[in-house]
Each structure stands twice: as C-alpha cells, then as structure tokens.
Amino acid sequence: MISVVILGSGNVASHLTKVFLKTNTVDLVQVYSRKIENIEHLERKTLITDDITNLKNADVYIIAISDDAIEGFSENLDIDDALVVHTSGSVSIDALKGNYEKGVFYPLQTFSKGTKINFKNIPICVESNSSKQLNALKKLANSISKKVYVIDSNQREKLHLGAVFVNNFVNHLYEIGNEICEENNVPFEILQPLIKETAKKITKISPSAAQTGPAKRKDTETIKKHLDQLKKNQKEIYKIMTDSIIKKYN
Amino acid sequence: MISVVILGSGNVASHLTKVFLKTNTVDLVQVYSRKIENIEHLERKTLITDDITNLKNADVYIIAISDDAIEGFSENLDIDDALVVHTSGSVSIDALKGNYEKGVFYPLQTFSKGTKINFKNIPICVESNSSKQLNALKKLANSISKKVYVIDSNQREKLHLGAVFVNNFVNHLYEIGNEICEENNVPFEILQPLIKETAKKITKISPSAAQTGPAKRKDTETIKKHLDQLKKNQKEIYKIMTDSIIKKYN
C-alpha cells in the first residue's frame, strides 16, 4: 500500500483525489489546501488541512498547484525521507527545492472540474532522480492507469509543447469551424462526426497518411475561393496552414 | 423501394455502393465506371457498366466523381424524368446541366478506401430544386443515416469550408505534434488520448468554453519559451494561432 498526501485543490488535484480514494492499493492520507473551504467536502473521506506545517507522514507528496507556484511552494515543505512530486507538464523536476527525494507525476489529459475522467486510459508520465523512487512512482501510476511512461524533463517539455498544438490550437480551429457555421445558420453538430473521425483516424494511420484537402492536392482554385469567403483572422490562419501543408507535400 | 444508379468508383462511390447493397429499402440497380476494372468485383452483386449510354432506369442517379469533373459529366447524361444528384461538398447544385431534376446528396465525412464506415452517424446534407424530389432524397438519406439535414448550396459551401479547418488543418496540427514527438524520442501515442478527449469535449461544451492553454491565459513567458523551441514553419503556426486566441479572449 502506497500512502499519498495531495497538496492542492485545483482540477488535477481534485481528479487525483477522487481516483485515489477509489483505489484499493493507495492510501490517501491527507489533502492540503491553502483554502480549507475548497476541500471541506472531503472531510468524511480523508484528513484535510490548510496548515502546511501539519502534514501527515506519507510515501509520496503530490504537489498539484499552478505551474508558477510550484518552486516557491516546494521550498517551504518540511519533508525528509519521502518523495515529493509535481504534476506539471511544463515544469522541470529541478524546480523542486528541498531535502526530499524528487519526482514528477504528470497525467497528460485535459482536465475540467465537473467532467468525469477515466484514468485507466490517461497516459501518466513519471520521472525521478532516484531509481528506487521511480519504481514507487511507476507502481503508483499503474494503480490508476494502464499507460505509464518514463519521461525525463526535457522530453516532457516537448510533449507539453506538442499538446499545445494538438489540444489548444486544434480547439481553436474547432472554434473557427463553429463560427463559420453560426454565421451561416448551419448547426455545428453537422461537423462533429467529422471531428471525431479525424481524431480517431490518426490512431490507425499516421497524420501524414491521413492528410487530405485542397492544400494537400495543391488545388489553387479551391484555395482562392475559400480565402475570398473568410474574415481577416480566419484568412491568416487558412493561409499559414495551407502554405505549411503545401510545403510538406509538394 | 427507391431505385438507385451510382456513377463513379472512387471513395464516396464505393462506400455508398457498399451501404446501399446492404440496405433493404434501396434497390441498387447499377454501378457505372469509366474503368470497368474498378467495379468488376461488384459483378455478382449488381449490374455494372462502363458505357454511359447504357444506363438502366432508376429513381435517383448519384454522380460520385471528382469535383472538377461533375459539370462536364452531367451534361452528357441522357436522363429525363428522374433525379440526378452529386455528392460534393464544394460544388453548387447549379453545376448539374441537363433536362433531369437536380439535387445534392452530400455525406459529410472523411472517406478512405479500405476503412470501415458506419453511415448511421454520418450527417447527410440534401438539397433539391423540386420539393417532391427533396422528399425522396430525404427518404433515401434516412435509409442509411440518422442524421439528415436540408442544406442549400450556399450553406453547404460554408460547411465545406468549416470542414477544411476542423479536418484538414486539425490533421496538420496532429502532424506537427507527431513531428515534435519523433524529434524528441517520445511516442506519439502519449498524445492520442488527449486528441480524442479534445474532439469529444466540444460535443458537450462549446469550443470557446473548452479553450485552455498559455494563449488563453496570455501567459507570455510560456509562449516565449515555446517559440524558442520550434522550427521555422512550426513557429509561424504557433504565432498565428496564439495571436488569434489572445485576440479572442483578451
């Protein structure tokens, strides 16, 4: 049984709290939050505290707070002889300052409060300076997910960068699709099966094999017709994406 | 029972052929292809021909050929007293030239030969100049899909434009994500659950409500750090997308 303390009450913290409470092989000893009201609903399920000097003993302390706050927070932790990890995709393991052993426990998914998350298929990227602790982290990750990867800080930074493209930017393209539909009284739901299939396709064939469309075909007539119909910022995105695809395939 | 002749043997034609052969309420009378070898495998299932002057009688003739070829092809069809439709997202109904009644039967999905398609959830956009024929088209569409929409040529053109953003451009972003992973020895599969979830999220909340990331937060420090890590064309796309998101939310 691995004992865990969660430090934080945001999206990642609350999803981890929920899944660890349901996991037999994990003992969630305590949850800390600066604001006790954020975690009062956990009172009957685990110990809660807003006093950072009053942490219980545990094998792993999981800092799940905003990226910028990790370093400062980690300095003030009075923990020895245990593993302290953060959950950030973009923060190096070296941001953790203190006399404890260090690690990273990064679940790569888009978390929103309120939405249900099935951790089984969420990739968890783990890292530690100590090979013993890395094994403990792998065990902890495997207790909630089938997809556990050992990824160092440099690789994790790149993964996070990739995630900006395939999540943040992709979502913005969905938004433009939505705009175009709304402006023309077409229900956006007509595009949703296409969106789903596009995402599914690249789990079977590579994105490069899946590429289609006027840019791929270098169909300049259609491209021109499209550009004439777009608003300014839509047009800029259309141009850059089309140029990039044309360069890639021609 | 609606009787149908399919004209063409490409992706859309072959998927429609397959689904109509399985559908009890549709009688697939004949398939035409300029190259008989493309449809020889259908010989035991329906009539086949490469002679355009030798078409059988049917209620609906479906032209499923490349966009550019539709107009010229439609002029040479010797059909009266029946409905002729094309299946293109970007071609107007007016491209159909001839003395027959006209319509459009546009299944909005990304088709690849070889991949299995479940038509039930594929939106089919129908249009006709005749309200009687529109009803026939709706019936035909409903026999294979639960999602049938009456969409005029102008709306369809916009839908097709929206599809370029949410399919072609989104796939190119997947490709950049893949590139970044490959360059850093990280398996692309780590990003796939995120890709899937991102596509799923916008069926529950609007893309605008789903937007996250450094650009949404206007986190200039992270944005700068990201830009420093990117190659030229990746950098341009990152900049344009980030500017567009910042403009939208700030």
PDB file of all heavy atoms in Angstrom, chain A residues 4-9 12-14 16-18 20 28 30-33 60-64:
ATOM      1  N   VAL A   4      -0.237   8.430   0.304  1.00  0.00           N
ATOM      2  CA  VAL A   4      -0.118   9.642  -0.504  1.00  0.00           C
ATOM      3  C   VAL A   4      -0.741  10.824   0.224  1.00  0.00           C
ATOM      4  O   VAL A   4      -1.778  10.693   0.871  1.00  0.00           O
ATOM      5  CB  VAL A   4      -0.845   9.431  -1.860  1.00  0.00           C
ATOM      6  CG1 VAL A   4      -0.971  10.734  -2.639  1.00  0.00           C
ATOM      7  CG2 VAL A   4      -0.147   8.367  -2.706  1.00  0.00           C
ATOM      8  N   VAL A   5      -0.084  11.996   0.117  1.00  0.00           N
ATOM      9  CA  VAL A   5      -0.701  13.259   0.522  1.00  0.00           C
ATOM     10  C   VAL A   5      -0.820  14.134  -0.723  1.00  0.00           C
ATOM     11  O   VAL A   5       0.151  14.265  -1.485  1.00  0.00           O
ATOM     12  CB  VAL A   5       0.127  13.986   1.606  1.00  0.00           C
ATOM     13  CG1 VAL A   5      -0.371  15.418   1.825  1.00  0.00           C
ATOM     14  CG2 VAL A   5       0.102  13.210   2.921  1.00  0.00           C
ATOM     15  N   ILE A   6      -2.003  14.709  -0.948  1.00  0.00           N
ATOM     16  CA  ILE A   6      -2.174  15.609  -2.094  1.00  0.00           C
ATOM     17  C   ILE A   6      -2.154  17.052  -1.608  1.00  0.00           C
ATOM     18  O   ILE A   6      -2.847  17.415  -0.653  1.00  0.00           O
ATOM     19  CB  ILE A   6      -3.480  15.291  -2.855  1.00  0.00           C
ATOM     20  CG1 ILE A   6      -3.310  13.970  -3.605  1.00  0.00           C
ATOM     21  CG2 ILE A   6      -3.835  16.419  -3.831  1.00  0.00           C
ATOM     22  CD1 ILE A   6      -4.515  13.537  -4.393  1.00  0.00           C
ATOM     23  N   LEU A   7      -1.348  17.855  -2.294  1.00  0.00           N
ATOM     24  CA  LEU A   7      -1.204  19.268  -1.930  1.00  0.00           C
ATOM     25  C   LEU A   7      -1.822  20.105  -3.053  1.00  0.00           C
ATOM     26  O   LEU A   7      -1.239  20.235  -4.134  1.00  0.00           O
ATOM     27  CB  LEU A   7       0.275  19.593  -1.751  1.00  0.00           C
ATOM     28  CG  LEU A   7       1.006  18.651  -0.766  1.00  0.00           C
ATOM     29  CD1 LEU A   7       2.509  18.640  -1.011  1.00  0.00           C
ATOM     30  CD2 LEU A   7       0.712  19.041   0.679  1.00  0.00           C
ATOM     31  N   GLY A   8      -3.003  20.615  -2.820  1.00  0.00           N
ATOM     32  CA  GLY A   8      -3.681  21.395  -3.852  1.00  0.00           C
ATOM     33  C   GLY A   8      -5.150  21.014  -3.947  1.00  0.00           C
ATOM     34  O   GLY A   8      -5.565  19.969  -3.413  1.00  0.00           O
ATOM     35  N   SER A   9      -5.938  21.876  -4.619  1.00  0.00           N
ATOM     36  CA  SER A   9      -7.379  21.602  -4.732  1.00  0.00           C
ATOM     37  C   SER A   9      -7.924  22.020  -6.098  1.00  0.00           C
ATOM     38  O   SER A   9      -9.123  22.204  -6.262  1.00  0.00           O
ATOM     39  CB  SER A   9      -8.137  22.326  -3.621  1.00  0.00           C
ATOM     40  OG  SER A   9      -7.917  23.731  -3.749  1.00  0.00           O
ATOM     41  N   VAL A  12      -6.470  19.182 -11.383  1.00  0.00           N
ATOM     42  CA  VAL A  12      -5.685  17.946 -11.320  1.00  0.00           C
ATOM     43  C   VAL A  12      -5.765  17.358  -9.918  1.00  0.00           C
ATOM     44  O   VAL A  12      -5.987  16.151  -9.743  1.00  0.00           O
ATOM     45  CB  VAL A  12      -4.221  18.209 -11.736  1.00  0.00           C
ATOM     46  CG1 VAL A  12      -3.392  16.949 -11.589  1.00  0.00           C
ATOM     47  CG2 VAL A  12      -4.166  18.702 -13.186  1.00  0.00           C
ATOM     48  N   ALA A  13      -5.606  18.224  -8.898  1.00  0.00           N
ATOM     49  CA  ALA A  13      -5.656  17.759  -7.506  1.00  0.00           C
ATOM     50  C   ALA A  13      -6.987  17.055  -7.224  1.00  0.00           C
ATOM     51  O   ALA A  13      -7.016  15.969  -6.631  1.00  0.00           O
ATOM     52  CB  ALA A  13      -5.459  18.937  -6.549  1.00  0.00           C
ATOM     53  N   SER A  14      -8.088  17.664  -7.654  1.00  0.00           N
ATOM     54  CA  SER A  14      -9.373  17.073  -7.278  1.00  0.00           C
ATOM     55  C   SER A  14      -9.649  15.777  -8.053  1.00  0.00           C
ATOM     56  O   SER A  14     -10.232  14.844  -7.503  1.00  0.00           O
ATOM     57  CB  SER A  14     -10.519  18.079  -7.441  1.00  0.00           C
ATOM     58  OG  SER A  14     -10.648  18.458  -8.782  1.00  0.00           O
ATOM     59  N   LEU A  16      -7.243  13.681  -9.025  1.00  0.00           N
ATOM     60  CA  LEU A  16      -6.370  12.675  -8.397  1.00  0.00           C
ATOM     61  C   LEU A  16      -6.948  12.235  -7.056  1.00  0.00           C
ATOM     62  O   LEU A  16      -6.927  11.053  -6.712  1.00  0.00           O
ATOM     63  CB  LEU A  16      -4.953  13.224  -8.220  1.00  0.00           C
ATOM     64  CG  LEU A  16      -4.101  13.316  -9.488  1.00  0.00           C
ATOM     65  CD1 LEU A  16      -2.737  13.941  -9.182  1.00  0.00           C
ATOM     66  CD2 LEU A  16      -3.900  11.917 -10.113  1.00  0.00           C
ATOM     67  N   THR A  17      -7.460  13.199  -6.290  1.00  0.00           N
ATOM     68  CA  THR A  17      -8.075  12.864  -5.003  1.00  0.00           C
ATOM     69  C   THR A  17      -9.175  11.825  -5.206  1.00  0.00           C
ATOM     70  O   THR A  17      -9.223  10.792  -4.533  1.00  0.00           O
ATOM     71  CB  THR A  17      -8.676  14.130  -4.353  1.00  0.00           C
ATOM     72  OG1 THR A  17      -7.617  15.067  -4.128  1.00  0.00           O
ATOM     73  CG2 THR A  17      -9.362  13.804  -3.037  1.00  0.00           C
ATOM     74  N   LYS A  18     -10.047  12.116  -6.176  1.00  0.00           N
ATOM     75  CA  LYS A  18     -11.184  11.231  -6.436  1.00  0.00           C
ATOM     76  C   LYS A  18     -10.718   9.823  -6.807  1.00  0.00           C
ATOM     77  O   LYS A  18     -11.209   8.840  -6.276  1.00  0.00           O
ATOM     78  CB  LYS A  18     -12.027  11.839  -7.572  1.00  0.00           C
ATOM     79  CG  LYS A  18     -13.519  11.720  -7.335  1.00  0.00           C
ATOM     80  CD  LYS A  18     -14.321  12.412  -8.420  1.00  0.00           C
ATOM     81  CE  LYS A  18     -14.444  13.909  -8.191  1.00  0.00           C
ATOM     82  NZ  LYS A  18     -15.105  14.597  -9.323  1.00  0.00           N
ATOM     83  N   PHE A  20      -7.759   8.339  -6.305  1.00  0.00           N
ATOM     84  CA  PHE A  20      -7.023   7.633  -5.251  1.00  0.00           C
ATOM     85  C   PHE A  20      -7.965   7.134  -4.155  1.00  0.00           C
ATOM     86  O   PHE A  20      -7.744   6.074  -3.574  1.00  0.00           O
ATOM     87  CB  PHE A  20      -5.933   8.540  -4.644  1.00  0.00           C
ATOM     88  CG  PHE A  20      -4.725   8.716  -5.535  1.00  0.00           C
ATOM     89  CD1 PHE A  20      -4.046   9.924  -5.583  1.00  0.00           C
ATOM     90  CD2 PHE A  20      -4.254   7.670  -6.308  1.00  0.00           C
ATOM     91  CE1 PHE A  20      -2.926  10.089  -6.400  1.00  0.00           C
ATOM     92  CE2 PHE A  20      -3.137   7.813  -7.134  1.00  0.00           C
ATOM     93  CZ  PHE A  20      -2.476   9.031  -7.175  1.00  0.00           C
ATOM     94  N   LEU A  28      -4.868   7.318   0.581  1.00  0.00           N
ATOM     95  CA  LEU A  28      -4.833   8.776   0.544  1.00  0.00           C
ATOM     96  C   LEU A  28      -4.962   9.284   1.978  1.00  0.00           C
ATOM     97  O   LEU A  28      -6.047   9.306   2.560  1.00  0.00           O
ATOM     98  CB  LEU A  28      -5.952   9.342  -0.331  1.00  0.00           C
ATOM     99  CG  LEU A  28      -5.950  10.869  -0.451  1.00  0.00           C
ATOM    100  CD1 LEU A  28      -4.670  11.385  -1.102  1.00  0.00           C
ATOM    101  CD2 LEU A  28      -7.164  11.365  -1.243  1.00  0.00           C
ATOM    102  N   GLN A  30      -4.115  12.331   3.370  1.00  0.00           N
ATOM    103  CA  GLN A  30      -4.459  13.713   3.690  1.00  0.00           C
ATOM    104  C   GLN A  30      -4.493  14.562   2.410  1.00  0.00           C
ATOM    105  O   GLN A  30      -3.777  14.283   1.451  1.00  0.00           O
ATOM    106  CB  GLN A  30      -3.380  14.281   4.633  1.00  0.00           C
ATOM    107  CG  GLN A  30      -3.679  15.644   5.240  1.00  0.00           C
ATOM    108  CD  GLN A  30      -2.508  16.123   6.104  1.00  0.00           C
ATOM    109  OE1 GLN A  30      -1.346  15.859   5.787  1.00  0.00           O
ATOM    110  NE2 GLN A  30      -2.824  16.807   7.203  1.00  0.00           N
ATOM    111  N   VAL A  31      -5.353  15.590   2.434  1.00  0.00           N
ATOM    112  CA  VAL A  31      -5.342  16.584   1.366  1.00  0.00           C
ATOM    113  C   VAL A  31      -5.129  17.954   1.996  1.00  0.00           C
ATOM    114  O   VAL A  31      -5.775  18.302   2.991  1.00  0.00           O
ATOM    115  CB  VAL A  31      -6.657  16.582   0.548  1.00  0.00           C
ATOM    116  CG1 VAL A  31      -6.658  17.688  -0.507  1.00  0.00           C
ATOM    117  CG2 VAL A  31      -6.873  15.224  -0.122  1.00  0.00           C
ATOM    118  N   TYR A  32      -4.183  18.715   1.408  1.00  0.00           N
ATOM    119  CA  TYR A  32      -3.918  20.062   1.892  1.00  0.00           C
ATOM    120  C   TYR A  32      -4.439  21.083   0.883  1.00  0.00           C
ATOM    121  O   TYR A  32      -4.269  20.911  -0.334  1.00  0.00           O
ATOM    122  CB  TYR A  32      -2.412  20.261   2.091  1.00  0.00           C
ATOM    123  CG  TYR A  32      -2.002  21.726   2.057  1.00  0.00           C
ATOM    124  CD1 TYR A  32      -2.027  22.505   3.228  1.00  0.00           C
ATOM    125  CD2 TYR A  32      -1.613  22.344   0.864  1.00  0.00           C
ATOM    126  CE1 TYR A  32      -1.688  23.855   3.190  1.00  0.00           C
ATOM    127  CE2 TYR A  32      -1.273  23.691   0.814  1.00  0.00           C
ATOM    128  CZ  TYR A  32      -1.316  24.437   1.984  1.00  0.00           C
ATOM    129  OH  TYR A  32      -0.994  25.770   1.952  1.00  0.00           O
ATOM    130  N   SER A  33      -5.050  22.150   1.373  1.00  0.00           N
ATOM    131  CA  SER A  33      -5.321  23.301   0.517  1.00  0.00           C
ATOM    132  C   SER A  33      -5.172  24.566   1.340  1.00  0.00           C
ATOM    133  O   SER A  33      -5.546  24.611   2.509  1.00  0.00           O
ATOM    134  CB  SER A  33      -6.729  23.231  -0.071  1.00  0.00           C
ATOM    135  OG  SER A  33      -7.049  24.463  -0.700  1.00  0.00           O
ATOM    136  N   VAL A  60       4.478   9.392  -0.628  1.00  0.00           N
ATOM    137  CA  VAL A  60       4.550  10.331  -1.746  1.00  0.00           C
ATOM    138  C   VAL A  60       3.700  11.570  -1.471  1.00  0.00           C
ATOM    139  O   VAL A  60       2.542  11.456  -1.062  1.00  0.00           O
ATOM    140  CB  VAL A  60       4.051   9.680  -3.057  1.00  0.00           C
ATOM    141  CG1 VAL A  60       4.260  10.628  -4.243  1.00  0.00           C
ATOM    142  CG2 VAL A  60       4.752   8.343  -3.322  1.00  0.00           C
ATOM    143  N   TYR A  61       4.303  12.741  -1.672  1.00  0.00           N
ATOM    144  CA  TYR A  61       3.583  14.015  -1.578  1.00  0.00           C
ATOM    145  C   TYR A  61       3.414  14.554  -2.998  1.00  0.00           C
ATOM    146  O   TYR A  61       4.398  14.730  -3.721  1.00  0.00           O
ATOM    147  CB  TYR A  61       4.356  15.004  -0.712  1.00  0.00           C
ATOM    148  CG  TYR A  61       4.441  14.558   0.731  1.00  0.00           C
ATOM    149  CD1 TYR A  61       5.369  13.590   1.118  1.00  0.00           C
ATOM    150  CD2 TYR A  61       3.575  15.075   1.693  1.00  0.00           C
ATOM    151  CE1 TYR A  61       5.440  13.151   2.428  1.00  0.00           C
ATOM    152  CE2 TYR A  61       3.632  14.639   3.010  1.00  0.00           C
ATOM    153  CZ  TYR A  61       4.560  13.672   3.379  1.00  0.00           C
ATOM    154  OH  TYR A  61       4.607  13.234   4.673  1.00  0.00           O
ATOM    155  N   ILE A  62       2.172  14.799  -3.385  1.00  0.00           N
ATOM    156  CA  ILE A  62       1.909  15.239  -4.758  1.00  0.00           C
ATOM    157  C   ILE A  62       1.497  16.708  -4.772  1.00  0.00           C
ATOM    158  O   ILE A  62       0.431  17.074  -4.282  1.00  0.00           O
ATOM    159  CB  ILE A  62       0.796  14.383  -5.401  1.00  0.00           C
ATOM    160  CG1 ILE A  62       1.223  12.909  -5.434  1.00  0.00           C
ATOM    161  CG2 ILE A  62       0.477  14.890  -6.814  1.00  0.00           C
ATOM    162  CD1 ILE A  62       0.185  11.963  -6.036  1.00  0.00           C
ATOM    163  N   ILE A  63       2.385  17.550  -5.314  1.00  0.00           N
ATOM    164  CA  ILE A  63       2.084  18.977  -5.434  1.00  0.00           C
ATOM    165  C   ILE A  63       1.294  19.186  -6.728  1.00  0.00           C
ATOM    166  O   ILE A  63       1.842  19.044  -7.829  1.00  0.00           O
ATOM    167  CB  ILE A  63       3.377  19.812  -5.510  1.00  0.00           C
ATOM    168  CG1 ILE A  63       4.262  19.542  -4.287  1.00  0.00           C
ATOM    169  CG2 ILE A  63       3.055  21.297  -5.633  1.00  0.00           C
ATOM    170  CD1 ILE A  63       5.599  20.295  -4.336  1.00  0.00           C
ATOM    171  N   ALA A  64       0.018  19.519  -6.591  1.00  0.00           N
ATOM    172  CA  ALA A  64      -0.805  19.749  -7.784  1.00  0.00           C
ATOM    173  C   ALA A  64      -1.373  21.164  -7.715  1.00  0.00           C
ATOM    174  O   ALA A  64      -2.536  21.383  -7.388  1.00  0.00           O
ATOM    175  CB  ALA A  64      -1.922  18.711  -7.872  1.00  0.00           C
TER     176      ALA A  64
END
